Amino acid sequence: MTKQIVAFFASSFLCVALTIPACAEEKSGVIAAVDRDRSLLIFADGTAYRLPGSFDYDAVSPGMEAHVIVEPAEVARG
């Protein structure tokens, strides 16, 4: 009976843990474009990330290698 209770709690924990989204997303790659009008950083694979309002656009340029860590809501899907 004890093994069944432990198995129940373990499976319950896994079910809950799998439904919680990741806290951050990491991406490395080559920058394809920087869209100042829409505040986007676009990687060569087409993935786009929103940039904060205080971002220094002079610090990045197309062709540079970049590594970003962002909250999932900041990823521009489209």
Side-chain angles (χ1 to χ4, degrees):
M1 181 70 172
T2 303
K3 289 182 181 179
Q4 290 176 336
I5 293 172
V6 170
F8 171 76
F9 282 112
S11 63
S12 297
F13 173 78
L14 288 175
C15 288
V16 170
L18 292 175
T19 61
I20 298 172
C23 293
E25 182 176 317
E26 294 186 42
K27 170 70 176 171
S28 292
V30 177
I31 298 172
V34 180
D35 187 342
R36 291 178 184 231
D37 297 332
R38 297 187 302 160
S39 300
L40 293 176
L41 179 68
I42 305 166
F43 280 90
D45 67 356
T47 307
Y49 295 91
R50 293 207 189 284
L51 298 171
S54 61
F55 187 78
D56 180 13
Y57 289 96
D58 296 327
V60 295
S61 62
M64 289 179 66
E65 182 77 22
H67 182 83
V68 295
I69 301 172
V70 296
E71 304 241 351
E74 296 179 41
V75 178
R77 307 283 181 199

